[in-house]
Amino acid sequence: MSATIHTDAARRHDFCLLFDVADGNPNGDPDAGNLPRVDPETMQGLVTDVALKRKVRDYVDLTCGDAERFKIYVQSGAVLNAQHQRAYTALDLTSTGAKQKREDVDRTRAWMCENFYDIRMFGAVMTTGVNCGQVRGPLQITFARSSDPIVPLEVAITRVAITREEDAAVSIGDDGEGTGGKQTEMGRKALVPYGLYRAHGFFSPHLARQTGASDEDLALFWQALQGMWDLDRSAARGMMACRGLYVYSHANPLGNAPAHRLFERIGVARRDGVEAPRAFADYRVEVDDATMPEGVTLTVLEG
């Protein structure tokens, strides 16, 4: 058995990612004043697939962004049509006119896949103005959900610096006494005391062939899932870390077992006597790897 079977882009891979947060906000909800996202029926915490892919993109950009094949398409400050224009310029094609030629779109789509890591892996819709077509990525990630209900907190904070000059000014009355002048300003900070989250993902070798995703790309993705937390530190995030990464690799590109059956082999439960989890040690993670389905190999990269 190869030690790098989990990086084989010609295989199907299903994976489970465990990560946790302590005293931080893993993914704010703009519809709820940036409070941590929750399922309102169960109060389990949620982290979107988009938030997870943002961390992967940032990791790749910081570690490999200068390399030719590892540019990032969706990043802060980027204008997408300007990104598309790079393909037309590189291939000496014209993007002007009411509609780009079909063969030009095909060539520019291939160029974008070759040069942008996140297009090659996650796909992209590039039909906005400067048309580079659409790409369905081989790698898909679900929302992450916490194992237990979380308690979204919003705590008050104070700041000694005043925002506006007029708020800091002191008025002197007829009696010579000063009035007004704020000494502090109030703010709010959202956090989760603790949450252990679980997300699932899938890699399709058929779509990988179409986008040109390689073994190197897949190996970089696994590295990102383990290391991206240390590159995304901020006061708002608290303490976040990868707590488990389990990759099921299939001998058959179509799969040797249903993904949901494989994921059911990973059990996460609170330890006896723990009422309010506040650390990863408060959980027990059990993986059934004794009788794996024929043609399926489990690789534990973290956990």
Side-chain angles (χ1 to χ4, degrees):
M1 181 177 63
S2 172
T4 57
I5 191 172
H6 63 286
T7 65
D8 185 353
R11 292 175 178 264
R12 172 183 142 184
H13 305 280
D14 304 314
F15 65 92
C16 175
L17 171 67
L18 299 180
F19 64 92
D20 65 354
V21 58
D23 299 326
N25 186 355
N27 187 203
D29 185 351
D31 289 329
N34 208 45
L35 283 169
R37 295 181 188 272
V38 295
D39 179 335
E41 290 188 322
T42 66
M43 291 306 293
Q44 289 172 292
L46 299 174
V47 173
T48 66
D49 61 315
V50 175
L52 295 174
K53 288 189 285 189
R54 176 73 271 152
K55 295 181 194 299
V56 172
R57 287 183 168 103
D58 290 344
Y59 180 91
V60 173
D61 192 34
L62 284 170
T63 58
C64 307
D66 293 334
E68 191 65 25
R69 275 174 47 85
F70 296 95
K71 300 180 184 71
I72 295 299
Y73 171 68
V74 179
Q75 57 182 322
S76 177
V79 177
L80 298 185
N81 279 340
Q83 300 278 58
H84 304 170
Q85 183 60 49
R86 294 171 66 176
Y88 279 88
T89 301
L91 297 172
D92 197 24
L93 300 173
T94 178
S95 61
T96 58
K99 186 176 181 180
Q100 284 81 40
K101 298 178 181 179
R102 176 62 182 270
E103 56 269 26
D104 290 352
V105 172
D106 291 342
R107 290 181 62 191
T108 54
R109 179 172 57 243
W111 189 93
M112 295 294 283
C113 285
E114 173 65 24
N115 286 273
F116 289 95
Y117 177 86
D118 51 341
I119 294 178
R120 213 161 48 243
M121 295 295 277
F122 302 142
V125 176
M126 302 177 289
T127 54
T128 55
V130 180
N131 188 2
C132 288
Q134 298 185 25
V135 176
R136 185 180 175 193
L139 207 153
Q140 303 299 325
I141 307 176
T142 69
F143 274 37
R145 177 179 290 268
S146 66
S147 295
D148 285 301
I150 63 169
V151 181
L153 298 181
E154 190 175 32
V155 298
I157 57 176
T158 60
R159 184 182 65 193
V160 297
I162 308 304
T163 303
R164 301 187 305 173
E165 187 174 348
E166 55 267 32
D167 290 338
V170 176
S171 300
I172 305 299
D174 295 337
D175 57 1
E177 297 292 331
T179 61
K182 295 170 64 175
Q183 300 299 311
T184 61
E185 287 191 338
M186 301 292 292
R188 312 291 294 178
K189 194 167 188 176
L191 60 89
V192 175
Y194 184 80
L196 178 61
Y197 291 76
R198 174 172 177 160
H200 300 116
F202 318 90
F203 181 84
S204 165
H206 309 287
L207 294 175
R209 284 198 302 271
Q210 295 178 23
T211 68
S214 65
D215 294 4
E216 183 184 13
D217 294 329
L218 191 53
L220 180 57
F221 177 72
W222 302 134
Q223 293 171 20
L225 290 187
Q226 296 171 84
M228 63 191 187
W229 317 96
D230 287 322
L231 299 183
D232 190 47
R233 299 296 185 195
S234 74
R237 294 279 185 269
M239 281 297 295
M240 296 187 70
C242 177
R243 293 298 188 173
L245 179 54
Y246 309 90
V247 184
Y248 292 98
S249 304
H250 301 252
N252 186 334
L254 296 176
N256 294 85
H260 69 281
R261 294 296 186 194
L262 298 176
F263 295 147
E264 288 171 355
R265 291 172 168 267
I266 303 172
V268 179
R270 273 181 289 168
R271 294 187 182 277
D272 294 340
V274 176
E275 295 294 332
R278 287 297 182 267
F280 181 63
D282 292 334
Y283 284 93
R284 182 178 63 255
V285 180
E286 296 181 345
V287 181
D288 177 11
D289 58 356
T291 56
M292 294 294 293
E294 184 178 357
V296 177
T297 303
L298 171 63
T299 303
V300 180
L301 297 176
E302 189 86 23

